[in-house]
């Protein structure tokens, strides 16, 4: 009898991964151009609101799929990763344009969410009828929402947005760390390193890498705020919302 050899998972930064990142980059350009043409027109709100509802329904469907008995895994099924709550917040940002939601979508979406795109577990690169399209589709969509709101629709982050997003990430991290400790999980990769290689490997063991994460997030988000605060209000026809 011929032994069955399991196919190796595609490599991170292999051909499939690079193709997905290239797709995300191309879509970002399309979204910015389309959003700029849409900005200020009567169709702006209906289009973004519809997109927000689609994102919300897809996100809830993804959560529900993990809750099915055949998919249930206490270490994966609860919506406690940063990307889980971020998808709902990004939907709120599109539907209601709440300033707090736009702020969190910008800061979390371009950093925490991007880590899932740049350093996915190799299993997320395997083709599958549900996990593959939902994982990549939702993470790329949240990235596009963040880019579209800022560079397309003209929202301009300010220092109050930085403080709000940073405070929110600390509160969420504290909540999830406590839940992880109670049920023995590692949501948000807050109680241990994630499986496989990641940037966290460079930051030392737990809990030292949590401290360095906080420092790096604060520094990067400050740099993501400073250029917008240097712009004069209304310069170049850009709205400071």
């Amino acid at each position: 009898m011929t032994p069955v050899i399991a196919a190796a998972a595609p490599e991170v930064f292999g051909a499939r991964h690079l193709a997905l990142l290239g797709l995300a980059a191309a879509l970002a350009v399309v979204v910015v151009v389309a959003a700029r043409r849409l900005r200020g027109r009567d169709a702006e709100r209906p289009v973004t609101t519809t997109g927000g509802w689609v994102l919300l329904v897809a996100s809830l469907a993804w959560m529900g799929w993990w809750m099915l008995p055949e998919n249930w895994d206490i270490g994966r099924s609860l919506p406690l990763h940063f990307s889980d709550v971020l998808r709902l917040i990004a939907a709120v940002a599109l539907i209601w344009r709440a300033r707090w939601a736009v702020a969190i979508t910008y800061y979390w979406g371009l950093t925490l969410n991007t880590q899932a795109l740049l350093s996915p577990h190799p299993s997320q690169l395997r083709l599958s009828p549900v996990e593959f399209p939902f994982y990549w589709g939702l993470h790329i969509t949240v990235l596009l929402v963040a880019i579209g709101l800022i560079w397309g629709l003209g929202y301009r982050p300010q220092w109050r947005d930085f403080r709000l997003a940073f405070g929110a990430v600390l509160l969420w991290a504290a909540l999830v760390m406590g839940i992880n400790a109670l049920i023995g999980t590692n949501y948000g990769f807050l109680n241990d390193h994630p499986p496989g290689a990641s940037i966290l490997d460079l930051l030392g063991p737990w809990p030292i890498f949590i401290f360095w994460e906080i420092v790096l997030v604060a520094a990067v988000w400050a740099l993501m705020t400073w250029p917008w605060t240097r712009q004069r209000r209304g310069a170049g026809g850009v709205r400071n919302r």
Side-chain angles (χ1 to χ4, degrees):
M1 182 176 179
T2 304
V4 177
I5 300 175
E11 294 182 356
V12 174
F13 292 112
R16 183 175 297 168
H17 189 198
L18 291 176
L20 289 163
L21 295 179
L23 174 63
L27 289 174
V29 174
V30 172
V31 165
V32 169
V33 172
R36 287 182 176 179
R37 291 180 178 178
L38 191 65
R39 187 170 74 194
R41 298 189 178 184
D42 292 340
E44 177 185 338
R45 282 286 184 162
V47 169
T48 56
T49 299
T50 300
W53 282 111
V54 171
L55 175 57
L56 180 61
V57 170
S59 299
L60 293 174
W62 178 233
M63 291 179 184
W65 186 82
W66 278 108
M67 295 292 180
L68 295 175
E70 60 269 28
N71 300 324
W72 173 257
D73 178 348
I74 195 171
R76 300 183 67 187
S77 296
L78 298 175
L80 294 176
H81 282 295
F82 287 105
S83 56
D84 294 321
V85 67
L86 175 58
R87 285 190 283 268
L88 303 181
I89 292 172
V92 170
L94 286 176
I95 297 169
W96 290 288
R97 301 291 181 86
R99 181 91 195 190
W100 64 269
V102 174
I104 292 175
T105 300
Y106 172 62
Y107 291 102
W108 293 27
L110 293 185
T111 53
L112 305 179
N113 175 70
T114 305
Q115 285 302 308
L117 297 173
L118 294 176
S119 58
H121 190 275
S123 64
Q124 301 293 353
L125 291 165
R126 289 196 184 101
L127 295 178
S128 60
V130 177
E131 274 198 70
F132 183 84
F134 268 93
Y135 179 90
W136 290 98
L138 289 173
H139 280 96
I140 290 174
T141 297
V142 169
L143 175 66
L144 298 179
V145 171
I147 290 172
L149 287 169
I150 305 301
W151 285 276
L153 297 182
Y155 283 84
R156 293 296 177 254
Q158 301 297 310
W159 288 113
R160 68 180 185 273
D161 301 310
F162 163 82
R163 292 190 293 269
L164 186 152
F166 190 66
V169 81
L170 293 179
L171 286 174
W172 182 255
L175 172 65
V176 174
M177 285 182 75
I179 295 174
N180 283 336
L182 285 173
I183 64 178
T185 53
N186 191 30
Y187 287 100
F189 309 122
L190 292 166
N191 294 61
D192 199 359
H193 285 276
S198 75
I199 192 173
L200 298 183
D201 297 333
L202 304 176
L203 303 181
W206 187 90
I208 294 174
F209 78 79
I210 298 296
F211 168 78
W212 286 116
E213 272 192 298
I214 294 171
V215 172
L216 286 173
V217 165
V220 170
W221 288 5
L223 290 174
M224 289 169 59
T225 308
W226 180 75
W228 303 115
T229 63
R230 298 290 295 174
Q231 291 183 353
R232 291 180 300 174
R233 289 178 179 269
V238 174
R239 292 177 293 175
N240 191 349
R241 300 192 181 192

